[in-house]
Structures are given as structure tokens and as C-alpha cells.
Amino acid sequence: MPDYSKITLDTIRTSAMPAVISAAMLRLDQLHPEISGNKWFKLKYNLEDTRAAGKATIVTFGGAYSNHIAATAAACRDAGMHAIGIIRGEEIRADSNATLQLAAANGMELRFVSRETYKAVQQPSNPLYQALAEEAYIIPEGGHNAAGARGCEDILRIHPTSSYTHILCAVGTGTTLAGIINSAAPHQQVLGISVLKGAAYLQQEIAALLLPAHTASWELLTEHHGGGYGKYSAEQVNSMNEFYQQTHIPTDIIYTGKLIQAFNTLLKTNYFPDGSNVLLIHTGGLQGNSSVVPGTLTF
Ligand SMILES: *Cc1c(COP(=O)(O)O)cnc(C)c1O
């Protein structure tokens, strides 16, 4: 069980921030070396539901670089459960990259399937899915379900966060964002920064995970993907290096680096009214930086 007391709330000040704006970063990256950042929160109630269903095996799905796959492997090892990871791409091997190596080392059974099978096996109407569901508890790709969002409601409760006017979080599936919106206060504005290109469809997927009683206003910003998932510009790299230099906080190339880049862009365009107090959620993912060409990042 990860220890929430490891998560700090760090006040930050960067040269991009005018004096009338304050900000802090909630360091979910510090929670656990292998169950990175937001991933634990998405898994928490899914693990509970697995036990409640009397099952000891979890099946989940992901691409070769999925942080969710690596986190699920480590969480299942800690919980004494068997984990099966269905990985997209039959050409992929367990030693293809650090993420899968870690998952395998933590005891996850990896099954590599074609793109077509990967898609089909996730449909509840498919016989392959039904065969898996008989034995195992199935967590959707990216931990994207109601139990995942519910776990993310905890994120704003680790430290007092009611003084923040804006809450910014990187978005993949939007599960984390949904949990944050559900637990945010009425005076807070929650902004999701999509790292995927063409992510307008996520608007509806996020809305589907919201509680009828949610009170915060929210918006999904879809223009800060920097070219698409896994792509990054020299400008993003500079923003990440500068952010590290000024705050000593490392960010990851896929998610939180884009969050910082978006924060800088919003500051530049005077998005935040004077007196705003901005909370940036550090969702982790730092192990993914091992795939970046050495020397690109200065940390
Ligand atoms: C998975 C991940 C996200 C995206 O979380 P969603 O709930 O899928 O939106 C954000 N940041 C990091 C570091 C992640 O690994």
C-alpha cells in the first residue's frame, strides 16, 4: 500500500509567472518508485473490487510503453495477485523496452497480440473477453472506468487544496481528470491538458465519468498536444529543462512536460486573472524519460 505522506505540495515560482500569479505542484510522482503518480489512484478501487469479486487475477491492456501496464504489474505483485497484460503488437517482446521489462520482472504475464485482436478482446461482447472475465477481473486500458475515477477523487484530499483557483492536469484517457473534477470545489476551475491529438472526443468520455453532484467548472484543452502522443518539440524540452532549473522538479516527456508547456502558454496569453492560485498535478511517468535521447533533458 503506497504511503500518501510521501506526496508533497511544493510552492513553485518560475520566470514565466508574473508576480500576480501563484502556483504549486502536487507531487504524485513521489508516491511510489514503480506505481507511478496517478496510476495508483486509478487502481486502488479496482483492486478492492477484484477481491470483493473473489478473484485473484487481473487482466488489463496497454501499448508497449504503457505506464498503466507497469503500474498494474507492481500493484498486483504488492497485493499478491496474478496479473496478465495484453499488449498491442505481436512483434513486441518482453525485453523490448524498460516499461515491459519492469512489468515482466514484477511477475506480470505478458501476452502480445495483433492490433485487430487487441481491439476485439476489449469488447465485452467478444468470446475472448468473456473467457478472460470468467477467471479474472478486467480493468480497461488505461484504468478508464468508474472505479478508476473514484480513486482519483482522493488526489485533492491528500493536502489542503481549497485555496487554489485553477487545477491543471495532463490527460490521456481523462479518468484522472474526471476524479479531480468530481472532488473539486465549486469555486475551482479544472483544466485538462490533452496529450493526444484530436482529443475532442474525450470530452464525452470524461463527462460520462462525472458524478451528477460535481460542482467545479471544467474544460478540456486540446491544443497543447505538441504534435501528438509521444511527440515533443525543442520548445517543450526547453520548458522542461527550465522548469527543472527553477523548481528542481523533474517532469516526464509524454504527460507532465506538456502540462508545463501548456501552463507557460496560458501564462503568456494572460489566461489566468490576476490573483489566480494555480495547482499543477504532477502525475508521475518519470521512468518514461529513459526512452529520450541522452543529453536532451538536463536532469
Ligand atoms: C497515465 C498518465 C496520465 C493520464 O492519465 P489519464 O487518467 O489516463 O488521463 C497522466 N500523466 C501520467 C504521467 C500518466 O502516466
Side-chain angles (χ1 to χ4, degrees):
M1 184 82 184
D3 176 5
Y4 286 4
S5 71
K6 295 211 172 89
I7 296 171
T8 59
L9 180 58
D10 300 352
T11 300
I12 58 172
R13 172 139 308 276
T14 66
S15 56
M17 292 167 55
V20 290
I21 307 286
S22 329
M25 189 164 230
L26 183 65
R27 303 285 309 278
L28 304 184
D29 59 303
Q30 295 176 315
L31 179 61
H32 191 284
E34 287 169 8
I35 313 176
S36 167
N38 61 335
K39 297 299 184 282
W40 164 253
F41 296 90
K42 295 203 274 187
L43 287 168
K44 186 180 139 158
Y45 290 115
N46 278 298
L47 293 174
E48 273 189 31
D49 290 353
T50 305
R51 277 202 200 88
K55 291 177 171 170
T57 300
I58 280 180
V59 173
T60 196
F61 313 88
Y65 292 93
S66 167
N67 291 338
H68 165 71
I69 286 288
T72 304
C76 286
R77 177 207 55 200
D78 287 2
M81 288 181 190
H82 180 53
I84 300 172
I86 313 265
I87 309 299
R88 183 179 55 232
E90 44 199 346
E91 76 287 2
I92 312 283
R93 296 287 170 268
D95 59 3
S96 289
N97 65 59
T99 302
L100 292 180
Q101 280 167 13
L102 188 65
N106 281 330
M108 182 178 258
E109 182 188 330
L110 298 171
R111 297 185 187 167
F112 304 95
V113 299
S114 68
R115 267 83 181 155
E116 297 73 45
T117 305
Y118 182 79
K119 219 171 163 186
V121 74
Q122 293 182 67
Q123 308 302 322
S125 59
N126 188 287
L128 291 171
Y129 179 101
Q130 288 161 6
L132 287 170
E134 244 171 69
E135 287 298 316
Y137 180 90
I138 298 187
I139 303 181
E141 181 180 42
H144 179 70
N145 62 10
R150 186 152 60 93
C152 294
E153 291 175 21
D154 282 358
I155 290 171
L156 294 183
R157 298 181 182 135
I158 300 162
H159 286 279
T161 53
S162 61
S163 65
Y164 297 97
T165 55
H166 298 77
I167 301 166
L168 270 65
C169 181
V171 166
T173 64
T175 315
T176 306
L177 190 76
I180 289 173
I181 296 165
N182 282 335
S183 56
H187 65 275
Q188 297 180 314
Q189 192 179 353
V190 182
L191 299 175
I193 310 298
S194 174
V195 305
L196 308 167
K197 200 173 181 167
Y201 73 95
L202 280 178
Q203 185 86 18
Q204 273 178 22
E205 301 212 349
I206 294 164
L209 291 175
L210 297 183
L211 300 174
H214 81 272
T215 55
S217 55
W218 66 283
E219 201 177 339
L220 179 70
L221 304 183
T222 56
E223 304 301 316
H224 301 272
H225 55 74
Y229 185 81
K231 305 243 164 47
Y232 54 90
S233 61
E235 195 188 352
Q236 181 189 327
V237 169
N238 287 340
S239 293
M240 292 169 68
N241 285 335
E242 195 177 82
F243 188 77
Y244 180 75
Q245 202 178 23
Q246 296 177 358
T247 64
H248 307 292
I249 302 176
T251 51
D252 82 287
I253 199 85
I254 296 177
Y255 292 99
T256 52
K258 289 187 180 169
L259 175 73
I260 295 308
Q261 174 75 23
F263 180 47
N264 287 344
T265 303
L266 293 172
L267 286 166
K268 220 181 272 170
T269 55
N270 294 317
Y271 182 91
F272 303 105
D274 290 1
S276 292
N277 193 13
V278 181
L279 179 63
L280 303 169
I281 309 292
H282 195 317
T283 41
L286 295 172
Q287 85 290 339
N289 286 351
S290 62
S291 65
V292 178
V293 178
T296 309
L297 298 169
T298 57
F299 50 86

